[in-house]
Amino acid sequence: MDYGDKLFWLSVVIQRKYAQICAEFELTPSQATLLCAVRNEPRQMADLAASLGMTKNALSQLVDRTVRRELVDRASSAQDRRVVMLSATPTGKVLAEAVYAEVAKRLPEIVRNLDADDQRDFERLATAIVDTSDLSSPTSNQPITP
């Protein structure tokens, strides 16, 4: 396997573990990601679409499903009525915090078979990758649908 193959399979390992955790909370990975993204403060739908690499239409469909579960609310911005803001409901915030805590606790299990030095290196590299990734720019990735 080459480097690209290794990154592909690492992505599969992470996504599989994340999906298992989400299922325990009766959430899809997309719903859990959305909840975690708005758990601390309201976010603009357009910014969320860009950050999550989704089309606005796909995000709107995801939000519709999550609103029906009473986990998020959408409202017009007080500053600009054309801007739609998304926030977690009180129930959604509690669920998001629980999911986030469980992910933070259990996702690192993927490196449990590495020695301590390799685990620290992996944490350092993962941090560097995330910190240098533009997770808010709509041009950083082609939009995808969930």
Side-chain angles (χ1 to χ4, degrees):
M1 277 192 218
D2 68 9
Y3 184 62
D5 287 336
K6 296 292 185 185
L7 289 175
F8 168 78
W9 287 111
L10 175 61
S11 171
V12 170
V13 168
I14 292 169
Q15 289 177 58
R16 189 174 58 202
K17 175 66 82 175
Y18 185 62
Q20 290 168 350
I21 294 166
C22 295
E24 292 170 15
F25 289 94
E26 298 181 4
L27 294 169
T28 65
S30 295
Q31 289 171 327
T33 300
L34 176 64
L35 275 176
C36 288
V38 299
R39 77 185 193 285
N40 291 327
E41 62 186 6
R43 303 265 314 262
Q44 289 185 20
M45 291 266 297
D47 291 346
L48 275 171
S51 294
L52 300 177
M54 299 175 76
T55 64
K56 290 177 185 176
N57 185 47
L59 178 60
S60 185
Q61 292 174 13
L62 173 61
V63 169
D64 288 344
R65 292 189 301 272
T66 312
V67 165
R68 282 194 296 274
R69 292 191 59 188
E70 299 179 353
L71 300 175
V72 296
D73 283 324
R74 76 176 81 151
S76 295
S77 167
Q79 292 80 23
D80 184 343
R81 308 268 318 146
R82 297 170 295 175
V83 174
V84 178
M85 301 297 293
L86 192 68
S87 60
T89 64
T91 301
K93 183 166 177 51
V94 169
L95 186 57
E97 292 294 344
V99 170
Y100 193 84
E102 199 64 19
V103 167
K105 181 176 98 178
R106 290 179 38 202
L107 203 53
E109 291 174 1
I110 66 169
V111 297
R112 72 180 174 274
N113 293 327
L114 301 178
D115 66 36
D117 287 342
D118 286 343
Q119 287 183 24
R120 280 190 297 278
D121 287 345
F122 186 85
E123 180 181 3
R124 181 182 54 76
L125 291 170
T127 299
I129 291 167
V130 170
D131 288 350
T132 59
S133 295
D134 187 356
L135 296 174
S136 62
S137 171
T139 58
S140 63
N141 295 313
Q142 290 292 79
I144 57 171
T145 57

PDB file of all heavy atoms in Angstrom, residues 10-24:
ATOM      1  N   LEU A  10      -6.963   4.882   6.988  1.00  0.00           N
ATOM      2  CA  LEU A  10      -7.057   5.607   8.252  1.00  0.00           C
ATOM      3  C   LEU A  10      -8.401   6.327   8.324  1.00  0.00           C
ATOM      4  O   LEU A  10      -9.077   6.317   9.363  1.00  0.00           O
ATOM      5  CB  LEU A  10      -5.905   6.608   8.398  1.00  0.00           C
ATOM      6  CG  LEU A  10      -5.965   7.516   9.629  1.00  0.00           C
ATOM      7  CD1 LEU A  10      -5.928   6.700  10.918  1.00  0.00           C
ATOM      8  CD2 LEU A  10      -4.810   8.517   9.594  1.00  0.00           C
ATOM      9  N   SER A  11      -8.815   6.920   7.221  1.00  0.00           N
ATOM     10  CA  SER A  11     -10.110   7.583   7.160  1.00  0.00           C
ATOM     11  C   SER A  11     -11.239   6.583   7.447  1.00  0.00           C
ATOM     12  O   SER A  11     -12.170   6.888   8.195  1.00  0.00           O
ATOM     13  CB  SER A  11     -10.299   8.221   5.780  1.00  0.00           C
ATOM     14  OG  SER A  11     -11.609   8.678   5.615  1.00  0.00           O
ATOM     15  N   VAL A  12     -11.148   5.400   6.887  1.00  0.00           N
ATOM     16  CA  VAL A  12     -12.162   4.369   7.123  1.00  0.00           C
ATOM     17  C   VAL A  12     -12.200   3.982   8.600  1.00  0.00           C
ATOM     18  O   VAL A  12     -13.277   3.881   9.195  1.00  0.00           O
ATOM     19  CB  VAL A  12     -11.905   3.130   6.238  1.00  0.00           C
ATOM     20  CG1 VAL A  12     -12.795   1.953   6.653  1.00  0.00           C
ATOM     21  CG2 VAL A  12     -12.114   3.469   4.765  1.00  0.00           C
ATOM     22  N   VAL A  13     -11.031   3.794   9.208  1.00  0.00           N
ATOM     23  CA  VAL A  13     -10.972   3.429  10.632  1.00  0.00           C
ATOM     24  C   VAL A  13     -11.628   4.511  11.478  1.00  0.00           C
ATOM     25  O   VAL A  13     -12.442   4.219  12.365  1.00  0.00           O
ATOM     26  CB  VAL A  13      -9.502   3.198  11.070  1.00  0.00           C
ATOM     27  CG1 VAL A  13      -9.368   3.115  12.580  1.00  0.00           C
ATOM     28  CG2 VAL A  13      -8.941   1.947  10.415  1.00  0.00           C
ATOM     29  N   ILE A  14     -11.310   5.773  11.215  1.00  0.00           N
ATOM     30  CA  ILE A  14     -11.872   6.889  11.987  1.00  0.00           C
ATOM     31  C   ILE A  14     -13.376   6.988  11.762  1.00  0.00           C
ATOM     32  O   ILE A  14     -14.146   7.112  12.722  1.00  0.00           O
ATOM     33  CB  ILE A  14     -11.163   8.209  11.630  1.00  0.00           C
ATOM     34  CG1 ILE A  14      -9.719   8.177  12.136  1.00  0.00           C
ATOM     35  CG2 ILE A  14     -11.914   9.405  12.210  1.00  0.00           C
ATOM     36  CD1 ILE A  14      -8.852   9.315  11.623  1.00  0.00           C
ATOM     37  N   GLN A  15     -13.802   6.924  10.509  1.00  0.00           N
ATOM     38  CA  GLN A  15     -15.228   7.034  10.210  1.00  0.00           C
ATOM     39  C   GLN A  15     -16.031   5.889  10.827  1.00  0.00           C
ATOM     40  O   GLN A  15     -17.145   6.098  11.318  1.00  0.00           O
ATOM     41  CB  GLN A  15     -15.450   7.073   8.700  1.00  0.00           C
ATOM     42  CG  GLN A  15     -14.983   8.363   8.059  1.00  0.00           C
ATOM     43  CD  GLN A  15     -15.148   8.331   6.560  1.00  0.00           C
ATOM     44  OE1 GLN A  15     -16.258   8.135   6.070  1.00  0.00           O
ATOM     45  NE2 GLN A  15     -14.063   8.511   5.833  1.00  0.00           N
ATOM     46  N   ARG A  16     -15.480   4.688  10.793  1.00  0.00           N
ATOM     47  CA  ARG A  16     -16.174   3.534  11.369  1.00  0.00           C
ATOM     48  C   ARG A  16     -16.345   3.699  12.877  1.00  0.00           C
ATOM     49  O   ARG A  16     -17.429   3.488  13.415  1.00  0.00           O
ATOM     50  CB  ARG A  16     -15.412   2.254  11.035  1.00  0.00           C
ATOM     51  CG  ARG A  16     -16.176   0.985  11.415  1.00  0.00           C
ATOM     52  CD  ARG A  16     -15.467  -0.253  10.957  1.00  0.00           C
ATOM     53  NE  ARG A  16     -14.133  -0.298  11.536  1.00  0.00           N
ATOM     54  CZ  ARG A  16     -13.127  -0.994  11.030  1.00  0.00           C
ATOM     55  NH1 ARG A  16     -13.286  -1.693   9.931  1.00  0.00           N
ATOM     56  NH2 ARG A  16     -11.956  -0.994  11.628  1.00  0.00           N
ATOM     57  N   LYS A  17     -15.299   4.115  13.565  1.00  0.00           N
ATOM     58  CA  LYS A  17     -15.364   4.320  15.012  1.00  0.00           C
ATOM     59  C   LYS A  17     -16.355   5.440  15.328  1.00  0.00           C
ATOM     60  O   LYS A  17     -17.168   5.328  16.252  1.00  0.00           O
ATOM     61  CB  LYS A  17     -13.972   4.650  15.557  1.00  0.00           C
ATOM     62  CG  LYS A  17     -13.922   5.006  17.027  1.00  0.00           C
ATOM     63  CD  LYS A  17     -14.287   3.858  17.925  1.00  0.00           C
ATOM     64  CE  LYS A  17     -13.099   2.957  18.125  1.00  0.00           C
ATOM     65  NZ  LYS A  17     -13.386   1.883  19.098  1.00  0.00           N
ATOM     66  N   TYR A  18     -16.305   6.529  14.575  1.00  0.00           N
ATOM     67  CA  TYR A  18     -17.210   7.655  14.776  1.00  0.00           C
ATOM     68  C   TYR A  18     -18.664   7.214  14.566  1.00  0.00           C
ATOM     69  O   TYR A  18     -19.549   7.548  15.362  1.00  0.00           O
ATOM     70  CB  TYR A  18     -16.831   8.795  13.832  1.00  0.00           C
ATOM     71  CG  TYR A  18     -17.624  10.063  14.018  1.00  0.00           C
ATOM     72  CD1 TYR A  18     -17.580  10.779  15.213  1.00  0.00           C
ATOM     73  CD2 TYR A  18     -18.416  10.557  12.989  1.00  0.00           C
ATOM     74  CE1 TYR A  18     -18.308  11.957  15.382  1.00  0.00           C
ATOM     75  CE2 TYR A  18     -19.138  11.731  13.149  1.00  0.00           C
ATOM     76  CZ  TYR A  18     -19.083  12.423  14.349  1.00  0.00           C
ATOM     77  OH  TYR A  18     -19.803  13.578  14.507  1.00  0.00           O
ATOM     78  N   ALA A  19     -18.913   6.435  13.511  1.00  0.00           N
ATOM     79  CA  ALA A  19     -20.273   5.958  13.226  1.00  0.00           C
ATOM     80  C   ALA A  19     -20.786   5.065  14.353  1.00  0.00           C
ATOM     81  O   ALA A  19     -21.974   5.142  14.715  1.00  0.00           O
ATOM     82  CB  ALA A  19     -20.302   5.214  11.893  1.00  0.00           C
ATOM     83  N   GLN A  20     -19.922   4.237  14.922  1.00  0.00           N
ATOM     84  CA  GLN A  20     -20.328   3.383  16.046  1.00  0.00           C
ATOM     85  C   GLN A  20     -20.760   4.224  17.241  1.00  0.00           C
ATOM     86  O   GLN A  20     -21.782   3.954  17.865  1.00  0.00           O
ATOM     87  CB  GLN A  20     -19.183   2.458  16.461  1.00  0.00           C
ATOM     88  CG  GLN A  20     -18.859   1.372  15.466  1.00  0.00           C
ATOM     89  CD  GLN A  20     -17.545   0.674  15.766  1.00  0.00           C
ATOM     90  OE1 GLN A  20     -16.758   1.093  16.606  1.00  0.00           O
ATOM     91  NE2 GLN A  20     -17.295  -0.421  15.062  1.00  0.00           N
ATOM     92  N   ILE A  21     -19.982   5.242  17.542  1.00  0.00           N
ATOM     93  CA  ILE A  21     -20.305   6.120  18.668  1.00  0.00           C
ATOM     94  C   ILE A  21     -21.624   6.841  18.401  1.00  0.00           C
ATOM     95  O   ILE A  21     -22.511   6.896  19.262  1.00  0.00           O
ATOM     96  CB  ILE A  21     -19.152   7.115  18.925  1.00  0.00           C
ATOM     97  CG1 ILE A  21     -17.900   6.368  19.396  1.00  0.00           C
ATOM     98  CG2 ILE A  21     -19.568   8.177  19.948  1.00  0.00           C
ATOM     99  CD1 ILE A  21     -16.629   7.199  19.364  1.00  0.00           C
ATOM    100  N   CYS A  22     -21.785   7.387  17.202  1.00  0.00           N
ATOM    101  CA  CYS A  22     -23.011   8.108  16.850  1.00  0.00           C
ATOM    102  C   CYS A  22     -24.230   7.206  16.967  1.00  0.00           C
ATOM    103  O   CYS A  22     -25.283   7.629  17.475  1.00  0.00           O
ATOM    104  CB  CYS A  22     -22.909   8.679  15.442  1.00  0.00           C
ATOM    105  SG  CYS A  22     -21.627   9.931  15.270  1.00  0.00           S
ATOM    106  N   ALA A  23     -24.113   5.981  16.492  1.00  0.00           N
ATOM    107  CA  ALA A  23     -25.238   5.041  16.536  1.00  0.00           C
ATOM    108  C   ALA A  23     -25.691   4.784  17.972  1.00  0.00           C
ATOM    109  O   ALA A  23     -26.892   4.608  18.226  1.00  0.00           O
ATOM    110  CB  ALA A  23     -24.853   3.729  15.849  1.00  0.00           C
ATOM    111  N   GLU A  24     -24.760   4.771  18.901  1.00  0.00           N
ATOM    112  CA  GLU A  24     -25.110   4.569  20.306  1.00  0.00           C
ATOM    113  C   GLU A  24     -25.986   5.699  20.838  1.00  0.00           C
ATOM    114  O   GLU A  24     -26.724   5.517  21.805  1.00  0.00           O
ATOM    115  CB  GLU A  24     -23.851   4.427  21.147  1.00  0.00           C
ATOM    116  CG  GLU A  24     -23.092   3.146  20.850  1.00  0.00           C
ATOM    117  CD  GLU A  24     -21.727   3.098  21.501  1.00  0.00           C
ATOM    118  OE1 GLU A  24     -21.443   3.902  22.415  1.00  0.00           O
ATOM    119  OE2 GLU A  24     -20.931   2.231  21.088  1.00  0.00           O
TER     120      GLU A  24
END
